[in-house]
Amino acid sequence: MILLPIFLYLLTVGVSAIKGPCFSFGGTAHIEFEPENFNISYSAHYKLEFRTVQENGILLYARGTHDYEVLYLFGGKLHYLIVNPTPWGAGGTSGDYFQSDEKVNNNTYFTVEIFRNRHNENSPQLTGNARLIQTGMTIKATQEEKHVHNIELRGLQIITPVYIGGDGAKTDTVIQEFEGEIRDIREKRNDLVFEYPSLNGGVPRCVATNHRRPQ
Ligand SMILES: *[C@@H]1O[C@H](CO)[C@@H](O)[C@H](O)[C@H]1NC(C)=O
Ligand SMILES: *[C@@H]1O[C@H](CO)[C@@H](O)[C@H](O)[C@H]1NC(C)=O
């Protein structure tokens, strides 16, 4: 039975190497994901790659009854906003907010990770109340930007679907639907690659630009 751990190891390496699809957004449509057994209520950790020249647009959006989170471009910079109103008043949190230092709309692929109520991977020795809980955003092209708060957003409740490339509302005239490419969309808490949209309002896959024509 010594082969089983090796097999499982190879399986894990193989699975994590699979890249998710690339979607090409035209600024008029979004896609939604609603995976089964997918819990993003209190904690979530998304990772995706995008490129765009757009100044203002929505990359990712999800909501609950009172709470919501949104990753968007405004003025060419990335913003991650979590709104978490506390009906019980003082002492609670009301959300969190992060903004990139640099503009990201220069048509280069950036990798962005956003996370809320994530257990700090660097402190597994801490348990219970001493456990470090983090919320933040990291952005990487050639250099990495890290924006992290050691904060717990209490009572956070957000459900699927996860909206990519828009929020489906079409009411905000400033923050529009996204125009550009988004690829390899993942959620690490549930260990899932977003592949098949549960709703697609007209967003095709990206056209590969750098492959050879068949002979
Ligand atoms: C989702 O996860 C939270 C903890 O993060 C847990 O309290 C809740 O019961 C879970 N919901 C479901 C439907 O499993
Ligand atoms: C776009 O901006 C990023 C980060 O500032 C930089 O690393 C990259 O080289 C830029 N790309 C181009 C084509 O200028």
Side-chain angles (χ1 to χ4, degrees):
M1 278 294 104
I2 211 154
L3 283 177
L4 187 60
I6 296 170
F7 172 73
L8 289 176
Y9 171 76
L10 289 175
L11 193 67
T12 313
V13 169
V15 166
S16 60
I18 293 171
K19 276 235 168 194
C22 175
F23 298 95
S24 180
F25 295 83
T28 55
H30 71 278
I31 49 180
E32 298 176 16
F33 291 92
E34 202 162 4
E36 278 176 43
N37 304 318
F38 186 74
N39 189 343
I40 48 168
S41 181
Y42 164 77
S43 173
H45 182 169
Y46 302 99
K47 181 180 182 192
L48 58 84
E49 300 173 13
F50 73 93
R51 72 169 176 176
T52 186
V53 293
Q54 196 184 28
E55 288 251 308
N56 308 318
I58 297 178
L59 286 156
L60 183 149
Y61 171 82
R63 65 162 183 259
T65 310
H66 304 290
D67 308 320
Y68 69 89
E69 66 182 328
V70 57
L71 175 70
Y72 62 99
L73 292 149
F74 185 69
K77 292 188 175 182
L78 260 187
H79 303 252
Y80 178 37
L81 171 70
I82 305 155
V83 174
N84 174 219
T86 45
W88 52 86
T93 61
S94 58
D96 211 340
Y97 170 67
F98 305 87
Q99 182 188 322
S100 68
D101 299 329
E102 303 294 333
K103 288 192 172 193
V104 295
N105 61 334
N106 66 355
N107 211 25
T108 302
Y109 262 110
F110 285 81
T111 302
V112 57
E113 297 192 36
I114 50 174
F115 42 90
R116 48 181 168 82
N117 290 336
R118 180 183 77 170
H119 294 163
N120 185 3
E121 292 146 2
N122 300 321
S123 61
Q125 74 280 10
L126 301 177
T127 54
N129 291 335
R131 203 163 46 191
L132 249 184
I133 294 184
Q134 299 187 317
T135 295
M137 171 170 78
T138 67
I139 307 149
K140 191 171 183 189
T142 45
Q143 292 191 319
E144 188 165 37
E145 272 188 34
K146 283 191 184 185
H147 305 272
V148 179
H149 295 156
N150 294 328
I151 184 177
E152 178 177 13
L153 303 170
R154 300 212 199 103
L156 200 60
Q157 284 190 327
I158 291 178
I159 55 168
T160 56
V162 178
Y163 296 72
I164 302 290
D167 64 2
K170 290 192 168 78
T171 48
D172 196 322
T173 49
V174 179
I175 313 293
Q176 302 135 344
E177 297 198 298
F178 180 73
E179 198 169 345
E181 292 180 354
I182 304 178
R183 70 184 184 194
D184 201 23
I185 310 158
R186 294 159 184 270
E187 202 286 316
K188 291 182 161 188
R189 183 183 182 276
N190 296 273
D191 195 18
L192 197 98
V193 177
F194 286 6
E195 281 191 86
Y196 307 107
S198 54
L199 182 148
N200 188 339
V203 180
R205 296 287 176 103
C206 302
V207 178
T209 48
N210 52 359
H211 66 213
R212 284 198 200 124
R213 242 174 248 158
Q215 301 294 317

